[in-house]
Amino acid sequence: MENHVGERTVNIFGKVFPRDAFICRLFYLTFFASFGSLFPLLAVYFKQLGMTAAQAGFLIGARPIVEFLSGPFWSQFASRFRKQKLLLLFSLGSLIVFTLAIGLVQPVTPYCIVYVPEGKPSCRTMLAPAGKIIRGGALGMLKAAVVGGNEAGNSGKQRQKRQQSPLVEKFIDLSSYESKDDITAGIAPEYITKELVCNYNEETYGILVSPPHSTRVYRQPAVEQSFMLLLILVCLGEFFSSPALALADAATLNSVKDTPQEFGKIRLMASVGWGLAMFVMGVGLDYSDTFRNHPCPAENTTEKNYTLCFVMSVIFMCTAMALATKLKFDDDVAQPGDVHGLVMDTREAEVSHVVAEKARARHMQSEGGGENTLWIAMKSLASVHLLLFFISVVVMGGGAGLVFSFLYWHLQDLGGSPVLFGILSVVNHVSEIITYFYTFRLINKYGHVRVMYLCLAVNVFRFLALSVITNPWMVLPLQVLQGCCLATVWTCASSYISLVAPPNAKQHAQYALQVGYHGLGKGIGSIVGGSVISVIGSRSTFVLYALICLVTCAGSFGLNKLFKYEGIKYGTGNFEEEDMDFMAPQGVPMARDGKLTDAFNSNTVVNSNYGAISQEDPTQDAYDRYVSTTR
């Protein structure tokens, strides 16, 4: 069906959506469902492969770093060849291929640990040879069932024979065998020693490790080889797939160019897809503790079969790839490198044009007409106050990376189950969605700097609480704080940069913010956090990060006081002129009179005085910046 302007529409439960925007909604739903069904659990999966927190953190932290290092290359590539849809499909295909490849890399399991209480009072556990398994994960099992029928039958008989053996019933997980008082949460795997396993001899067996929540025993060199291969796959996969989300955002911005405020509502489907997929995977994983293809089958272990997550992730990504063929890319659609700044323009209606005008006017005074925009952005942002704000953003990003990588790792050691992980994901994303609608009210009331102080203070409380809880279900209220805090931080930071950066250098400023928060922050948070956890455990690491947030908050507050800078005071929607002597406004009072939609619907041509502030039409600047950056 079509609406009054001839645009194709879709009717869902009596509500009419433009067809292009509806396809974008479905794309975000499936694309992020693919991520949500696997990526939050990757650290726990790597832990089950016998890796340390340092190795798992490096594998996860490498992704955001590679993504932003490859950003300029893909932006130039898209600008030169103008094949956005083809590049998007290639990126999604790369995600599918490399996700499958990561799921197939596992170290060989040569031994199991068995419990022998009777007859040998001095020998409680010992090594036993592992059973034969079918290689290749789900694909290998499918091949064995379809092609190698006899082999599959023989394998089934071997498993049945092993299960009938009295020794098989004694397979144990060392982390459940030992006293919980002797285990430091976060530290994994456990090295096999003569004191733990009576028939162990390092000269005969080599260095052996056993991950917690598993009955498997790996050779350490095999784990290290798997780590190196996984690192190569992760880096290559992220390099080839990194432009996917930016291209999808560009197509969505193009589909809602007449009503840009709809972009944020469409993008919320990402949180819906991620949260629901994680919840479904959590429930599914609780029924995957019995492996049809396990070398050390046992009932007294919390080991999970993550093959389910890889399969569902690929299915969702294939669906997203099919939907991507319907996305529209016009000749004037934004390039990947330009999308970061354009996204913030979609919420300009929530920014007071009076404050925006004065903020931009002050910073535009220093811009040179013939200078490089990157140099303009660097000069505009080169101040002590902005540097302190940027450091706070990076520290908050580090906390996001630390939680993303090691929250479930930590909760698993406390007895948390995948069902809890799924519920936590739903709570986190619901709080993010709700916060999205109220963030600007908080910013308008207190200003950007004070909101950042608040987020740092919340992180101090949140990580200190994480370090002392013993019941994993007590994390639920902390997840509400996490969703609210992370959503507020990103909105606050991107809005602030949007105000203070010169309009023609805004893309570079927003990209620097992306690199600082998502690249450096999350990447370093995962890598450094994992390295610290592998030495002192997750509880002490959370305390250490809380202290870093406290020092950052106190240091920023103290230095701003030292430079006699407190931001702009709000309440009536006006600000004092003397505050302008120090810096541009920090807050953005709510004003519904800035009708961005009307500006986008107008037929105004690009202003030759690019970025200039017009008192008669305060929305012209937003329109000019949007049109100019999409040409």
Side-chain angles (χ1 to χ4, degrees), residues 341-342 344-345 348 360 498 501-504 506-507 610-611 620-630:
L342 296 177
M344 196 59 215
D345 284 343
E348 284 285 348
R360 291 172 185 145
S498 179
N504 60 335
K506 179 180 169 186
Q507 307 304 332
Y610 173 70
Q620 184 65 46
D621 178 60
Y623 174 71
D624 290 344
R625 287 184 290 116
Y626 184 89
V627 174
S628 300
T629 52
T630 54

Side-chain angles (χ1 to χ4, degrees), residues 400-420:
L402 181 62
V403 165
F404 178 79
S405 300
F406 296 107
L407 177 61
Y408 299 155
W409 179 300
H410 174 72
L411 295 179
Q412 186 187 44
D413 290 345
L414 300 184
S417 66
V419 168
L420 171 62

Side-chain angles (χ1 to χ4, degrees), residues 359-360 362-364 366-367 373-383 386 496-497 499-503 505 509 583:
R360 291 172 185 145
R362 180 166 179 81
H363 283 271
M364 286 169 54
S366 62
E367 83 180 62
T373 54
L374 176 60
W375 178 244
I376 294 173
M378 292 176 64
K379 287 201 308 180
S380 175
L381 303 179
S383 71
L386 278 170
Y496 177 68
I497 293 298
L499 283 176
V500 302
M583 200 177 174

Side-chain angles (χ1 to χ4, degrees), residues 466-478:
L466 278 175
S467 68
V468 298
I469 61 172
T470 56
N471 186 343
W473 287 90
M474 294 176 65
V475 179
L476 278 172
L478 299 180

Side-chain angles (χ1 to χ4, degrees), residues 294-500:
H294 198 291
C296 309
E299 295 182 357
N300 60 335
T301 179
T302 53
E303 183 177 6
K304 304 300 178 183
N305 188 356
Y306 292 98
T307 301
L308 173 67
C309 298
F310 284 94
V311 171
M312 292 306 300
S313 177
V314 169
I315 290 175
F316 280 124
M317 192 58 69
C318 288
T319 307
M321 190 173 181
L323 290 168
T325 61
K326 304 297 183 180
L327 297 181
K328 293 184 178 180
F329 292 87
D330 295 338
D331 292 336
D332 59 348
V333 72
Q335 302 303 315
D338 300 332
V339 172
H340 306 296
L342 296 177
V343 168
M344 196 59 215
D345 284 343
T346 63
R347 301 194 71 180
E348 284 285 348
E350 297 176 76
V351 180
S352 169
H353 63 270
V354 176
V355 176
E357 285 174 8
K358 293 196 175 184
R360 291 172 185 145
R362 180 166 179 81
H363 283 271
M364 286 169 54
Q365 290 174 3
S366 62
E367 83 180 62
E371 291 182 284
N372 182 273
T373 54
L374 176 60
W375 178 244
I376 294 173
M378 292 176 64
K379 287 201 308 180
S380 175
L381 303 179
S383 71
V384 174
H385 312 298
L386 278 170
L387 180 61
L388 291 173
F389 190 87
F390 185 80
I391 291 174
S392 299
V393 171
V394 173
V395 170
M396 292 298 299
L402 181 62
V403 165
F404 178 79
S405 300
F406 296 107
L407 177 61
Y408 299 155
W409 179 300
H410 174 72
L411 295 179
Q412 186 187 44
D413 290 345
L414 300 184
S417 66
V419 168
L420 171 62
F421 303 162
I423 295 175
L424 292 177
S425 181
V426 171
V427 171
N428 176 68
H429 286 91
V430 168
S431 61
E432 279 188 359
I433 292 172
I434 295 175
T435 303
Y436 172 85
F437 295 99
Y438 297 98
T439 301
F440 274 100
R441 295 188 181 182
L442 186 66
I443 295 173
N444 294 337
K445 186 173 182 179
Y446 298 106
H448 291 77
V449 170
R450 291 172 185 168
V451 168
M452 190 60 65
Y453 292 157
L454 177 63
C455 292
L456 287 167
V458 169
N459 256 13
V460 173
F461 168 77
R462 192 161 60 91
F463 279 87
L464 286 177
L466 278 175
S467 68
V468 298
I469 61 172
T470 56
N471 186 343
W473 287 90
M474 294 176 65
V475 179
L476 278 172
L478 299 180
Q479 281 297 96
V480 176
L481 290 178
Q482 174 178 310
C484 296
C485 186
L486 295 184
T488 302
V489 164
W490 179 245
T491 304
C492 175
S494 57
S495 172
Y496 177 68
I497 293 298
S498 179
L499 283 176
V500 302

